[in-house]
Amino acid sequence: MVTDNAPQSATGLLRGTPVVAGVVYGPVQVVRTDLDPAAVAAFAAGPQPEGDDAIAAYDAAVDKVAAGFLARSEAAHGSAAEVLAASGKLTRDRGLRTMVRKNIADGHSLLEAIDAAVGHFAEMFAKMGGLMAERVTDLHDIRKRIIAHLIGVSEPGIPVPEVPSVLVAEDLAPADSAGLRPELVAALVMEKGGATSHTAIIARQLAIPCIVGVAGALGLPAGQRVLVDGAAGIIDPAAEPQDAERKVAASIAEREAQEKWTGPATTADGAPVKLLANVADPASAEKAAKTPVEGVGLFRTELAFLKSTEEPSVAEQADLYEGVLRPFVEAGAFHVVTRTLDAGSDKPIAYATIEGEENPALGVRGYRLTYDKPGLLDHQLDALKIAGERVGIQPWVMAPMIATPDEARDFAKKAHDRGLKAGVMIEIPSAALLADRIVEQVDFLSIGTNDLTQYTMAADRMATDLAHLTDPWQPAVLQLVAMTAAAGKRADKPVGVCGEAAADPLLACVLVGMGITSLSMAAASVKAVGAQLSRVTFDQCVKAAEVTVDMISPANAREAARAVLID
Ligand code: PEP
Ligand code: MG
């Protein structure tokens, strides 16, 4: 067994969390996005504006920074445009301005006032966790840009590389990552950040191979050619050029093969694997129904209600659910799993979430909302029944955040009373440990590896500094998944995976080897997973599952699986 779990191994390899697959060999460009400390010190030592002049100078700098974000947002599209527009809004945040003004009134210099106000909000966001914690990087970036205008230097940013390069940084500000040019940025290697950081989101959108959370990355010498393997999460600074070029060519061939894969998914020896889509609304369902999936494994209903202040009526909900079911039924895919409201924690919904909880990730979220508001669940199930009748299928429905067999039984009864197929998500370690007793109560299980990892490792899934813990390759998580799959096999009932783990081509093979019957993922990942499954036998998957759960770290587990499935 390999025991090395340090980020930088004795071989000189650097490791991090893989985000976007692809092998790249190119020169390092180290990006430092800090302001020049000498310029800041010179400004701080001189006479700074005071009172109303200080707040006027702040407002003028804010206007320039916000205008810059707006211009970049208009030039970008997709999630990049959204990220930039959100930064523009945050720049003009009234709470931030009020605190800067107060700090100035309390006698602080303008720079001190800004630093203290940003520090206050950054701490508050970090404490709130979840999506808010992700905004801390944005806040610090905004601070640097405002100060750059005050002291009269250019806003910090990424210099445009002259040749396609491996961009290495601590983490990129949204404004920088959203403006990346894929033709010049061959790969991204970030010292910080997790799989849900802005850099990761943008890298996925731009399809730039990317690894985050790489300890020691900033130590890579500028200009040196390094080999980046985005799927394995490995950077090799000492790669031999010929070997590196061979691996790059193989990766290009792999991408071409993926494009040609059309499904349905089987292993090389013909074992079928159901590949399903994760969808959020009728628009994403329309798109996903055109890809080689056999249905939907996770319709996250709460995402359609994030902005609703009142509970939508049963009729409104029925229309929405029908909009998701119909494109699949018309494509001949009748397996569509709707998840009941998973409100709370990182997905607050005005009409459902309980305000002011000390620890919302462990609070009244998901199925627990029905303790006090059973109507929420009843109305969803009524609406789903209507939608199923309209399109002529029996909908599958599952509840999130189930902790006990009793909860599973109560939920299944309500769903069965309406003629729906009933399942529950396995996202809490207690549910995985009692999977045998939970599966007795329902028709199917679906493992949410994102939350199962969060709760198994006691690590906030959004905390970028904990990305090494919130890795679904953590052997403890894999063991709980294997236990759940085994319970499904004993009961002869389907067990799917609908967390991010299903979208990792290598891990998908491991899951199939454990006995997982369906894999549900963002439509963009389907071809990569399908193509990988088509290259391995079912026995290889079983072997990979066996060796992986025995490992002691995610890196070891990945390597062990690769050895069986690829090398
Ligand atoms: C999960 O937890 O893995 C899951 C699929 O649910 P969500 O990501 O929506 O919490
Ligand atoms: Mg979840």
Side-chain angles (χ1 to χ4, degrees):
M1 185 187 289
V2 189
T3 54
D4 172 26
N5 190 28
Q8 175 145 28
S9 71
T11 59
L13 299 180
L14 288 130
R15 293 172 197 284
T17 306
V19 174
V20 177
V23 180
V24 164
Y25 185 51
V28 166
Q29 175 158 32
V30 179
V31 177
R32 295 186 194 278
T33 49
D34 276 340
L35 290 166
D36 176 7
V40 180
F43 181 83
Q48 290 188 45
E50 291 177 7
D52 286 349
D53 289 348
I55 199 72
Y58 173 80
D59 285 342
V62 161
D63 281 346
K64 287 185 191 140
V65 175
F69 280 126
L70 186 66
R72 286 195 207 92
S73 163
E74 281 167 359
H77 52 86
S79 40
E82 282 168 27
V83 161
L84 287 163
S87 286
K89 252 181 142 176
L90 188 58
T91 308
R92 292 193 182 282
D93 186 80
R94 294 170 74 94
L96 187 62
R97 184 180 187 276
T98 306
M99 182 143 294
V100 171
R101 180 190 270 282
K102 181 182 170 301
N103 292 345
I104 291 169
D106 287 351
H108 292 284
S109 74
L110 178 54
L111 287 194
E112 287 167 0
I114 295 171
D115 281 348
V118 168
H120 168 83
F121 281 100
E123 198 184 320
M124 193 172 97
F125 284 9
K127 272 199 192 130
M128 286 162 85
L131 288 176
M132 295 311 289
E134 293 276 317
R135 307 305 310 273
V136 172
T137 311
D138 308 23
L139 264 179
H140 286 303
D141 175 54
I142 288 166
R143 181 187 64 84
K144 283 187 235 169
R145 286 171 195 276
I146 293 174
I147 292 176
H149 283 284
L150 288 172
I151 67 177
V153 301
S154 0
E155 288 186 26
I158 305 176
V160 179
E162 283 166 18
V163 292
S165 302
V166 174
L167 226 60
V168 177
E170 187 177 61
D171 193 7
L172 295 182
D176 292 329
S177 50
L180 290 176
R181 290 172 51 186
E183 70 279 15
L184 290 176
V185 179
L188 290 167
V189 173
M190 299 293 112
E191 196 160 89
K192 289 200 168 163
T196 53
S197 60
H198 283 311
T199 307
I201 293 166
I202 302 289
R204 279 192 204 103
Q205 184 191 324
L206 300 177
I208 299 175
C210 174
I211 308 175
V212 298
V214 183
L218 284 169
L220 286 167
Q224 179 176 326
R225 282 165 81 80
V226 297
L227 183 72
V228 177
D229 184 337
I234 293 177
I235 300 107
D236 184 354
E240 198 271 313
Q242 260 187 350
D243 187 43
E245 299 292 3
R246 189 180 52 74
K247 287 181 174 154
V248 171
S251 155
I252 293 168
E254 157 68 20
R255 222 175 258 199
E256 287 168 359
Q258 281 176 17
E259 277 316 304
K260 290 194 190 117
W261 186 84
T262 53
T266 63
T267 57
D269 52 341
V273 182
K274 220 179 247 263
L275 295 196
L276 304 167
N278 289 353
V279 300
D281 51 27
S284 58
E286 291 265 359
K287 261 197 206 159
K290 296 193 182 101
T291 66
V293 292
E294 296 179 55
V296 170
L298 170 63
F299 166 23
R300 289 181 163 104
T301 54
E302 66 282 353
L303 297 186
F305 304 133
L306 285 178
K307 294 202 179 110
S308 309
T309 48
E310 279 172 27
E311 184 190 354
S313 67
V314 170
E316 283 167 329
Q317 293 192 43
D319 289 348
L320 176 80
Y321 305 152
E322 180 187 351
V324 168
L325 294 174
R326 191 170 291 285
F328 286 94
V329 173
E330 285 173 357
F334 305 124
H335 181 124
V336 180
V337 183
T338 300
R339 175 173 76 185
T340 56
L341 212 59
D342 187 21
S345 191
D346 55 328
K347 290 173 285 195
I349 292 187
Y351 67 82
T353 314
I354 297 193
E355 298 238 332
E357 285 185 304
E358 282 281 310
N359 200 342
L362 301 180
V364 182
R365 57 167 296 202
Y367 177 77
R368 300 165 183 190
L369 287 166
T370 63
Y371 297 167
D372 272 351
K373 298 180 184 161
L376 284 180
L377 177 61
D378 292 336
H379 301 156
Q380 278 208 291
L381 297 177
D382 289 343
L384 194 56
K385 175 175 187 259
I386 296 169
E389 284 164 0
R390 286 192 198 154
V391 300
I393 60 165
Q394 181 188 30
W396 294 42
V397 65
M398 64 184 181
M401 296 295 295
I402 290 293
T404 69
D406 282 353
E407 287 177 341
R409 184 201 54 220
D410 295 348
F411 175 77
K413 170 149 189 353
K414 285 187 177 225
H416 287 154
D417 284 349
R418 292 163 174 88
L420 308 172
K421 276 251 191 211
V424 293
M425 291 192 72
I426 303 292
E427 302 179 281
I428 302 177
S430 65
L433 291 165
L434 295 189
D436 273 313
R437 276 169 258 169
I438 286 185
V439 77
E440 277 172 14
Q441 311 294 336
V442 293
D443 305 313
F444 69 97
L445 301 178
S446 182
I447 307 175
T449 45
N450 307 336
D451 276 316
L452 185 60
T453 306
Q454 156 165 270
Y455 295 122
T456 303
M457 305 306 295
D460 182 344
R461 60 193 264 189
M462 294 294 183
T464 54
D465 289 344
L466 302 179
H468 61 294
L469 295 176
T470 51
D471 182 332
W473 285 88
Q474 282 287 353
V477 177
L478 294 176
Q479 291 203 9
L480 291 173
V481 173
M483 285 176 68
T484 308
K489 265 201 262 182
R490 282 190 287 273
D492 197 20
K493 291 186 185 171
V495 178
V497 168
C498 62
E500 288 300 307
D504 174 338
L506 209 59
L507 189 45
C509 298
V510 171
L511 297 172
V512 167
M514 288 175 178
I516 294 296
T517 53
S518 67
L519 300 165
S520 192
M521 64 205 76
S525 303
V526 169
K527 282 180 177 243
V529 171
Q532 175 59 39
L533 284 166
S534 73
R535 281 193 295 265
V536 297
T537 63
F538 186 71
D539 277 353
Q540 271 179 293
C541 294
V542 172
K543 177 83 185 127
E546 280 167 7
V547 294
T548 310
V549 289
D550 268 349
M551 291 295 134
I552 59 161
S553 76
N556 299 155
R558 276 193 185 88
E559 265 163 33
R562 281 180 87 82
V564 176
L565 297 165
I566 294 182
D567 297 340

